[in-house]
Each structure stands twice: as C-alpha cells, then as structure tokens.
Amino acid sequence: MKNSLSRLGAIVRKEVRQLRRDRLTFGMVVGLPIIQMLLFGYAINTDVRNLKTAFADEADTHLSREFIANLKQSQVADVRYRSSSPAELEELLRQGRISIGVHIPRDFDRRIVDRERAAVHLLVDGSDPTILSVANQLRSMPVGFDSTPPAADSVGAVEVRPYYNPERRTPVNIVPGLMGIILTMTMMLFTAVAIVRERERGNLELLINTPVSSAELMIGKVIPYILIGMLQLALILGVGDLLFNVPVRGSIVDLYLAASLFIAANLALGLLISTLASTQFQAMQMTVFILLPSILLSGFMFPFDGMPRFAQLLGELLPTTHFIRLTRGIMLREAGIVELYPAVIALAAFAAVALTLAASRFSKRLD
Amino acid sequence: MSEPCAIEARALSKHFGSLVAVDKLDLDVPRGRIYGFLGPNGCGKSTTIRMLCGLLTPTSGRATVLGIEVPGDAAALKARIGYMTQKFSLFGDMTNYENLQFIAEIYSYPRADRERRINELLERYDLADRRKQLAGTMSGGQKQRLALACAVLHKPDLLLLDEPTSAVDPQSRRDFWAKLFELAEAGTTILVSTHYMDEAERCHRLAILDRGVKVADGTPQELKENTGMHVVEVLADDPFAAQKLVDTVPGVVSVTQLGIRLRVLIPDSIEDPVERVAARLKQGNLAASATLSAAGLEDVFVAVTLKPERVAA
Ligand SMILES: Nc1ncnc2c1ncn2[C@@H]1O[C@H](COP(=O)(O)OP(=O)(O)OP(=O)(O)O)[C@@H](O)[C@H]1O
Ligand SMILES: [Mg+2]
C-alpha cells in the first residue's frame, strides 16, 4: 500500500514535470479558456448601442428625472417613448418597438434610500442575448444623491426582468456553456494524448514492465488533469465575473461538485480514447468527433428545446449536455445540485461506464 | 531456492494472426551467464523477450522466469527483472537525473539509499556531467548508457537487453560489454539480443533464431565446431568473377564475399571440398587460391540461417 502510493506519487510528479516543460500544452491550459472566453464573450457583447427604450416614470421626482437623463447619456439606451404604465411598456416590448422598458415605481425615492428593493425595473427582451447583456451593464449604473455613492454590497438600484425566455442564450448563458466546452476539449484531449504519446514514444513498454499497476498508472496520469480542470474552471469563472459580470448565483461548492463529476466523465472518455487510438493524431480525431456534437447539440449553441427530436437524443448521450444543464441551473437559476439530480445521475453513469470500458481495455500487455 | 535456470521455456510460440513470429521455442538460460540471442531482422528476438517479461501473452507453450510462471502474477517478477527496450523508452523531456529518480521511485528503491545509488550509476555509466541534460537530447550511445543504468538501478536478478548496442560505436560497445561482464560477475543473468558477431562471440552461450525457429544453441565454441559444414576460403584477384564461378560448384550452399576473400560453405558430407572449388577456379582460368578454414561465428550464422531449398539442392 505504501509502495503503491509512492508509485502513484512518482507518476503524478513525472506527469507534472513533463507538463511544465511542455510550454505549448501548459500555455493551452491557461490560454485556451481565456481566449475562448474573450472570443465568445466579446463577439457577442461588442458594439451594442442605442437600444430602443421606453420609460414609464410613475414617480416623477427630481431623482427619477436625473436617472432618466443619465440613461440617455449612456448611449446604450436610445430613449424613444414615454409611457404611462408598466403595462404599456410590456405592450411595446411585445410589439418589438422597444428592447428595454424602464419602469420607475411611484416610491422610487424611498427605494433608493433604504435600498431594500430594486428601485428601477428594466423590462428586457430576453430573446436576444445581446440585449440582456447590455441590460446587465445598465444595472451598474449609479443612481442616487451625488454625495452618497452606492454601497458595493447593496441591492442594485436597477432590477432587470428578462421577459419571455430568460434562460436562453444570453451572454450570461455563454459562460456556463463555455465551461462545458472548454473542459470537454482540454480534459479529453489532454488525457488521451498524454497516454497515446507514451505509447508512441515507447515509454509505455518501459512503464508496464515496472511494478507499477494499471490502476496506479491510469490514476496517476489523470490526477494532474483533474487539478488542471479545476484551475480552468476557476479561470473561466474569474474571467466571466471580471469581464462579463457573470455571477454564480447558486452554491460554488455545488458548481465544483458538478464540475468534478464532469471532469471525471471526460477523463474517463479520454482514457477510453487512449485505449482505442494508436497515434496522437487518431486520438485528436476522436476527440474532435466528440467535441463537435458537444458544441452543436449540447444546448450550448442552439437552445436544446428547439432542436429536432433526433438531435436531442444524440445530445442526451453527451456529458456536456448534462453538465451545461447543471452549470446553468446552479449559476443562473440558483438551483441546488440535488434538485438537478437527473443530470448528476447521467454524468455519474457516464463516468462509470467510460471508466469501466477504459479499464477493461487498458491492460498491462502489449497484445 | 534452487532454480537451475534463470529462464526455462518450452515450446513457446507467438502468432500474430497468420504470422508465426516465434515457433515452439525451447530455451534454457543458466544463471549468472550472458546469453546471446542472434538472428536476422524479424526473426522474433524482441517478441521472445517480450513474452519472457510478460508483455506479450504466448499463443502456446510455457515459460518460467526466475522460477515464476509467465504470464501470470507478473508483479512479483517485474521487481526482479530489468528490461531494456530495443527502442529508447525513457522520458526524453526529463533529465538523466530525473529519469533515474523516477525509476527509483517506481521500483520503491529504499529512500535512504536512493540518492547514493543514482549518483553511483551516473558515475559508473559516465553520465555524471550530464545529470541535468534532457535525455532526449543525448546521442545514441549516451541514451543506451542511461537505459542500461535505469534497467539495473533496482539490482535485478535478470536483465533482458533488446539490442542494447545498436547505433553504438565499437569503442563504446566494448565499454558497454565490460559493464555487462561486471554485472554477470556479480551474479546477474543477462539475456541480450544482437546483430553483431563480435558481441555474440563474447556471450557464454547463444541461441540463433531464424524466422521464429531456434536453429542453433550452444557456446560459441560448440557452435563453431558443429556447423556441419566445410569452410573453404578463396583468395582471388577478381573475387566477383570467382564468386559467380564458385557458386556453380555442386554442393556449395553459400558464398560470402569479404573484401578479396570468399567464404564458401559446403556440407561436411561432401568429400574433398577444397579440391572441388580449386578445380572449378582452375577451369575458369582465375588467379585464385582455395584453403580449408576454421568456421567463425559468421559462418555458423550463415550456415544455420540458409534457405532450406538451398541446403536440399
Ligand atoms: N504487434 C505485432 N503485430 C503483428 N506482427 C508483429 C507484431 N510484433 C512483431 N510482429 C512480427 O513478428 C516478427 C518478429 O518480430 P520481432 O520484433 O520479434 O523481430 P526481431 O527479431 O526483434 O527483429 P529486429 O532484429 O528487427 O528487432 C516480425 O515479422 C514482425 O513483423
Ligand atoms: Mg527486435
């Protein structure tokens, strides 16, 4: 047992050492999530200006007029109409004549002062993700007396109410989805390639002729990548929070639990690929074979509910689909991991099956 | 423990689909000896070695290595075997020191003694001033030394070396063999495959493999004495023409040119081999002399790996 642990440690140390020397891979570990986040995040966020806006100012105080003036100055909102009631705003929104409706309730001044409830309601056309993201930017707009800057921890003065389909393809939705895609890509590819490379270079022939067991070898190779997965997750969340204001509404612990399960599933899949591929190139091809549907059919690119039945069935077979359900649920809807148990079970089953298959195929023999 | 032989194989066979890579091989490798494995490319040397260390499952037959049945509970065996692969299989992106350290950890070499052992090996295998060099950047011979150092680190009872000196210059090869003799002296059994006759000559015993079949087995001396062939050496001004001529002498099974000399093999059932050859050379009006010569290992090798139809003719 003691020997087994020290052998495991030896494999892990070796792996980390090699990873550190492999500049490109190491760069990928850190660079890939960041670059992807920037690409996906900004491709959708940039150049959103002059959204058609209407407001209903039921308070009509000095403060509320100042807020409207600020809104006009921001260039984001192009204030076109003045309505008399929230109902009228909804009407305009439904007709597509405006993208944002600003409702300032009668007790606006009081709400600003005691900061218990949101002072302003933004009614947003959530069917367009860009708009929702812009509306989210508006949340940070300062409201209040010039002498009292809003406290950082207070309830935002502006509350955004995404209408119609709040869950769909919003920029906020991109990050939880992207998390799934990036982890799929790196976890599966890195493990598969790490093992196939050793076979290609002949290292495996040496390794399997030492007292190291298959389990020690597999686990030892996988541990560093679990850590890398966690690191990437932290990077994605960090960048998402810093640049795109993507919150984690639910429990971060739940999120990491879900991610662990997902990483396990992907690593198992990577191991399985490594037992099937005899060259790194083949391993890469197989990864792409799984990655592409993961991008297209998991609900990351297109809303899952809108996909044809057949595509949905395929999507259900991908761990990414289930993971994205988990991340969106936890991060956006504040759901607990327990509530989302079908996805958890699916991921666990996936990891178990892939690991069993991989372990049965991965023998300490060459034939 | 009384194990008469380090390796004992009986009717060991390995098929890859329809290809018979190793065919009913019997092998007895005595302890503490250097046992050579000689044979042309693809004759099954590596395949045999891989079966012996449990990397490949034999199609049929059985083998015991250090008294342990293979394949079987290989784990107990692995700790007592050192295996040097034909292809360099250490980690090119780690330094020599790190490679040795990794091997020491994998074999659970006593922690307290690790550092000393690694330094001792770096010293002995001439790698002391290269401890921080990446293994992948070393020359062929240096890599072989590192591979040997790694194979012997855990002080195995049996060393399986698969062509350890391919791509190594003669001087380094001599040094390498000096190390092997040291190890054998200390009690290690060594099975080494090779293509080099001079190396084969140094083995205590050797087996010659041809297309998966063991065609000869014995000490180099025994093999040379029992070729079943006369060896006639021909010295000729025009060895090329002489070769063509001698090739047509009835009974001649092989003519090999070495510079201006020809080595001619004739089965020893045939009388007056020298006279036969000389007569034919005279017929052809070639300035050449023929003398009877003692068989070298090269002749043994040629004799036992002859195509069967040639011998029958
Ligand atoms: N995994 C395999 N699948 C199919 N055929 C194989 C496999 N491994 C070896 N062979 C075949 O078995 C035969 C013996 O191969 P082996 O590697 O044992 O030869 P060798 O004596 O080591 O040759 P060399 O001197 O070139 O190293 C060859 O014909 C080879 O093509
Ligand atoms: Mg070989």
Side-chain angles (χ1 to χ4, degrees):
Chain A
M1 187 60 207
K2 189 171 141 279
N3 283 349
S4 177
L5 273 182
S6 87
R7 284 195 293 265
L8 191 63
I11 300 276
V12 172
R13 270 194 298 281
K14 171 188 80 70
E15 214 59 36
V16 170
R17 191 169 261 158
Q18 290 180 304
L19 204 63
R20 274 215 325 261
R21 298 235 163 93
D22 186 352
R23 291 269 165 78
L24 193 69
T25 305
F26 194 66
M28 289 254 293
V29 167
V30 181
L32 202 90
I34 294 181
I35 290 171
Q36 299 270 17
M37 286 282 289
L38 294 182
L39 274 178
F40 278 91
Y42 278 121
I44 287 161
N45 260 346
T46 48
D47 275 330
V48 181
R49 293 247 146 79
N50 302 325
L51 293 175
K52 293 189 290 271
T53 305
F55 67 92
D57 186 355
E58 291 183 319
D60 201 18
T61 59
H62 166 70
L63 210 56
S64 73
R65 282 193 293 273
E66 193 174 304
F67 175 78
I68 300 288
N70 279 344
L71 191 65
K72 281 178 177 159
Q73 269 175 14
S74 75
Q75 290 186 12
V76 174
D78 172 12
V79 179
R80 298 220 173 151
Y81 310 99
R82 169 163 198 160
S83 322
S84 53
S85 68
E88 208 175 309
L89 287 178
E90 282 178 27
E91 175 88 35
L92 287 168
L93 204 58
R94 195 164 51 242
Q95 288 163 351
R97 289 168 66 189
I98 56 167
S99 303
I100 299 177
V102 182
H103 173 223
I104 301 179
R106 216 172 290 283
D107 52 354
F108 178 70
D109 286 18
R110 226 193 59 228
R111 286 178 185 231
I112 291 285
V113 175
D114 59 43
R115 292 192 176 280
E116 292 279 300
R117 287 166 300 163
V120 181
H121 296 157
L122 290 188
L123 283 53
V124 178
D125 177 1
S127 63
D128 190 335
T130 23
I131 297 174
L132 195 53
S133 100
V134 171
N136 273 308
Q137 287 173 14
L138 288 178
R139 285 166 50 126
S140 54
M141 216 171 80
V143 188
F145 306 101
D146 291 348
S147 53
T148 55
D153 58 352
S154 65
V155 176
V158 181
E159 181 190 63
V160 178
R161 277 194 200 159
Y163 265 46
Y164 309 131
N165 50 357
E167 278 311 314
R168 254 184 223 165
R169 289 204 64 222
T170 65
V172 170
N173 253 331
I174 289 284
V175 171
L178 199 56
M179 225 150 70
I181 301 299
I182 292 174
L183 286 179
T184 303
M185 182 147 68
T186 50
M187 290 299 98
M188 208 159 56
L189 188 64
F190 287 174
T191 6
V193 165
I195 292 174
V196 173
R197 184 175 50 204
E198 297 216 318
R199 188 173 307 135
E200 258 186 335
R201 289 182 184 165
N203 302 140
L204 209 59
E205 185 168 355
L206 171 110
L207 281 173
I208 58 187
N209 208 41
T210 66
V212 75
S213 74
S214 311
E216 288 158 6
L217 200 55
M218 276 167 71
I219 297 171
K221 289 200 80 82
V222 152
I223 286 177
Y225 294 103
I226 295 180
L227 299 180
I228 284 178
M230 294 297 172
L231 178 78
Q232 289 188 324
L233 190 62
L235 266 176
I236 297 169
L237 289 178
V239 173
D241 186 38
L242 274 177
L243 297 182
F244 306 115
N245 256 321
V246 176
V248 181
R249 298 209 182 97
S251 146
I252 190 100
V253 176
D254 280 1
L255 190 59
Y256 265 88
L257 278 177
S260 310
L261 211 50
F262 181 61
I263 289 171
N266 275 308
L267 292 178
L269 211 57
L271 284 174
L272 187 60
I273 288 177
S274 78
T275 65
L276 296 169
S278 45
T279 63
Q280 293 186 55
F281 184 64
Q282 285 177 1
M284 265 180 254
Q285 282 179 312
M286 282 191 233
T287 312
V288 171
F289 184 75
I290 296 178
L291 184 65
L292 219 54
S294 293
I295 293 174
L296 296 177
L297 304 180
S298 64
F300 169 68
M301 280 292 230
F302 311 110
F304 196 81
D305 295 339
M307 293 190 324
R309 188 87 196 102
F310 177 65
Q312 285 186 347
L313 282 177
L314 282 179
E316 294 286 355
L317 292 176
L318 298 163
T320 317
T321 309
H322 301 281
F323 181 61
I324 288 181
R325 283 179 194 157
L326 283 175
T327 51
R328 285 185 177 163
I330 295 169
M331 289 177 70
L332 308 180
R333 293 195 311 260
E334 220 176 313
I337 195 164
V338 181
E339 295 171 75
L340 303 168
Y341 69 93
V344 174
I345 291 172
L347 280 185
F350 207 92
V353 169
L355 198 63
T356 312
L357 280 176
S360 72
R361 287 192 50 89
F362 189 93
S363 77
K364 275 193 78 181
R365 301 256 158 76
L366 290 175
D367 52 356
Chain B
M1 266 201 283
S2 70
E3 300 147 14
C5 281
I7 298 175
E8 217 183 285
R10 291 292 170 266
L12 200 61
S13 301
K14 180 72 191 178
H15 300 194
F16 293 110
S18 62
L19 179 97
V20 183
V22 177
D23 194 9
K24 301 193 198 67
L25 180 72
D26 293 332
L27 208 59
D28 293 279
V29 179
R31 293 183 156 256
R33 291 298 154 101
I34 302 182
Y35 193 94
F37 237 27
L38 198 63
N41 289 126
C43 69
K45 301 183 296 291
S46 299
T47 305
T48 306
I49 291 179
R50 285 176 176 153
M51 281 194 286
L52 291 175
C53 57
L55 287 178
L56 287 176
T57 320
T59 310
S60 62
R62 52 169 211 88
T64 52
V65 177
L66 299 173
I68 298 169
E69 195 84 22
V70 288
D73 178 25
L77 189 57
K78 308 256 181 206
R80 297 176 59 199
I81 298 185
Y83 172 41
M84 185 172 157
T85 51
Q86 179 168 358
K87 187 174 162 242
F88 182 68
S89 58
L90 284 153
F91 302 95
D93 47 3
M94 300 209 297
T95 66
N96 292 328
Y97 177 81
E98 287 164 353
N99 269 297
L100 284 161
Q101 191 185 37
F102 174 71
I103 295 291
E105 289 168 354
I106 282 289
Y107 280 99
S108 308
Y109 195 84
R111 198 177 289 268
D113 197 33
R114 241 174 236 175
E115 199 60 28
R116 193 200 55 76
R117 177 71 176 153
I118 292 173
N119 285 324
E120 174 193 332
L121 287 169
L122 284 170
E123 205 63 52
R124 181 174 317 159
Y125 291 95
D126 251 342
L127 296 164
D129 47 353
R130 298 185 184 280
R131 58 188 291 142
K132 292 223 171 89
Q133 185 172 354
L134 293 183
T137 64
M138 296 200 300
S139 79
Q142 292 161 350
K143 279 183 186 158
Q144 308 273 38
R145 290 211 298 276
L146 174 66
L148 185 61
C150 286
V152 303
L153 186 138
H154 60 294
K155 302 183 177 154
D157 299 322
L158 173 67
L159 264 182
L160 301 170
L161 310 175
D162 197 355
E163 291 183 36
T165 55
S166 54
V168 173
D169 68 72
Q171 173 62 43
S172 306
R173 251 168 51 205
R174 254 204 308 283
D175 296 345
F176 193 93
W177 273 81
K179 305 266 194 301
L180 293 191
F181 281 117
E182 262 173 46
L183 287 163
E185 196 59 39
T188 312
T189 309
I190 299 174
L191 178 71
V192 53
S193 78
T194 181
H195 289 294
Y196 297 112
M197 293 305 151
D198 61 317
E199 292 191 349
E201 196 89 55
R202 295 163 194 250
C203 297
H204 295 116
R205 263 186 100 81
L206 75 132
I208 300 179
L209 254 58
D210 186 30
R211 278 155 289 171
V213 181
K214 186 174 80 173
V215 288
D217 185 2
T219 65
Q221 198 53 40
E222 284 167 3
L223 292 179
K224 283 184 278 191
E225 284 165 5
N226 300 306
T227 52
M229 297 278 170
H230 297 296
V231 180
V232 178
E233 186 163 282
V234 175
L235 266 167
D237 294 339
D238 183 355
F240 188 68
Q243 174 166 19
K244 281 213 282 204
L245 206 58
V246 172
D247 227 4
T248 61
V249 175
V252 167
V253 291
S254 156
V255 184
T256 313
Q257 183 180 347
L258 301 165
I260 58 161
R261 290 178 303 138
L262 300 178
R263 304 284 290 183
V264 183
L265 298 185
I266 302 172
D268 59 8
S269 53
I270 292 171
E271 309 264 302
D272 306 324
V274 180
E275 288 70 16
R276 280 172 176 246
V277 173
R280 177 59 56 92
L281 288 167
K282 200 156 182 187
Q283 263 177 22
N285 275 328
L286 277 176
S289 68
T291 49
L292 201 60
S293 164
L297 264 188
E298 180 105 37
D299 302 313
V300 174
F301 187 74
V302 172
V304 296
T305 57
L306 281 173
K307 302 270 179 293
E309 61 273 20
R310 193 71 208 261
V311 182

